[in-house]
Amino acid sequence: MDNKIIFALDVYDYNIAMELAKKVGDKVFAIKVNWPAILENGIKIVRDLSKYSNIICDFKLADIDNTVSLITDKVREYGGYGIISHSFTGLNSLKAVVKSAGNMKVFSVVSMSQESYLDNITEELVQISKDAGVYGLVAPGNRPYYLKKVKELAGGLKIISPGVGAQGGNIVDAMILGSDYVIIGRSIYNSPDPGEALSNFARDINNKLNK
Ligand code: XMP
């Protein structure tokens, strides 16, 4: 059941990132990298990390079509498995991401793990995401009302959910409400034993969901 977890590797240091990826990469569905790791190490870290797991770039793209295409092309060139984009930028921008992504999976943010203006337009954002042809949606694992709402609207789209662990969400509740994959960062990489922390989350899923 470990492969229901996406590990958010929000560290700067290259060696620490590699060590963590080596330790847990084959036990998770994917590793998600965000600006902290990229700003310190450059996009090359995506290729290096992809030795250990699928790599999803959480760039939360929010720009015009040409710019999001340029960024998405680069992630594909360096072996990314997936990319996260905003959807509030509208259909043209999100379609450009999907087109440049090719075989990569595109996930679009429709609700955040903290309150945001997106809460007022979640339905529209899911519709834009569907129209653009994304593979999955990002919806919060720590805000049941919004996760449930997104699940009801998602159709067949996969749902990946941050907000579990450090932000207060519970992994089992999130999966019951509709998350296909749960994103966990600090509760794993800040643990004295990241491997054990990951196993504990996986055990929780096994114990509760297989009953
Ligand atoms: P923690 O340490 O809180 O890490 O377990 C969570 C990771 O997920 C990212 N994050 C989000 N990504 N929509 C997203 O696309 C969100 O609402 C959201 N909230 C958190 C966060 O940047 C970190 O990498």
Side-chain angles (χ1 to χ4, degrees):
M1 268 294 181
D2 294 30
N3 63 8
K4 293 289 180 193
I5 294 171
I6 296 172
F7 176 40
L9 186 56
D10 292 328
V11 300
Y12 293 121
D13 186 87
Y14 181 88
N15 292 326
I16 292 174
M18 286 302 146
E19 235 169 73
L20 282 163
K22 197 169 176 185
K23 194 169 281 176
V24 306
D26 63 347
K27 300 187 185 71
V28 295
F29 171 70
I31 290 175
K32 183 178 84 63
V33 288
N34 202 327
W35 295 113
I38 299 293
L39 289 172
E40 185 73 18
N41 301 290
I43 191 71
K44 286 194 295 298
I45 196 169
V46 171
R47 183 173 285 152
D48 295 350
L49 287 169
S50 65
K51 277 191 291 199
Y52 301 114
S53 197
N54 296 323
I55 304 303
I56 297 174
C57 287
D58 183 359
F59 290 170
K60 292 195 185 66
L61 301 174
D63 214 316
I64 59 166
D65 49 7
N66 183 63
T67 308
V68 295
S69 286
L70 288 170
I71 298 168
T72 306
D73 286 345
K74 224 1 110 177
V75 172
R76 192 161 43 82
E77 183 188 328
Y78 278 83
Y81 167 85
I83 187 160
I84 295 179
S85 177
H86 268 298
S87 54
F88 68 77
T89 40
L91 192 55
N92 280 347
S93 172
L94 194 53
K95 267 187 173 170
V97 178
V98 171
K99 189 168 176 216
S100 290
N103 291 332
M104 278 198 310
K105 315 283 190 216
V106 176
F107 300 90
S108 60
V109 180
V110 294
S111 179
M112 306 269 316
S113 58
Q114 297 176 353
E115 231 176 81
S116 80
Y117 181 75
L118 303 190
D119 293 342
N120 301 310
I121 52 168
T122 300
E123 268 186 65
E124 289 99 307
L125 296 180
V126 174
Q127 192 57 51
I128 288 170
S129 302
K130 284 178 169 174
D131 293 345
V134 305
Y135 175 78
L137 304 171
V138 185
N142 58 337
R143 301 172 75 217
Y145 173 83
Y146 289 96
L147 177 55
K148 203 161 162 264
K149 183 170 174 169
V150 171
K151 178 65 182 174
E152 282 163 10
L153 299 166
L157 298 182
K158 298 282 181 206
I159 298 179
I160 64 175
S161 297
V164 164
Q167 293 185 69
N170 174 276
I171 191 165
V172 174
D173 294 346
M175 304 218 73
I176 288 171
L177 286 176
S179 303
D180 293 291
Y181 301 98
V182 169
I183 298 167
I184 305 172
R186 283 166 287 181
S187 302
I188 295 174
Y189 66 74
N190 279 344
S191 162
D193 186 340
E196 195 191 353
L198 176 65
S199 301
N200 290 340
F201 281 113
R203 195 175 323 120
D204 284 351
I205 303 176
N206 277 328
N207 287 345
K208 297 264 173 69
L209 296 186
N210 290 338
K211 266 185 188 163

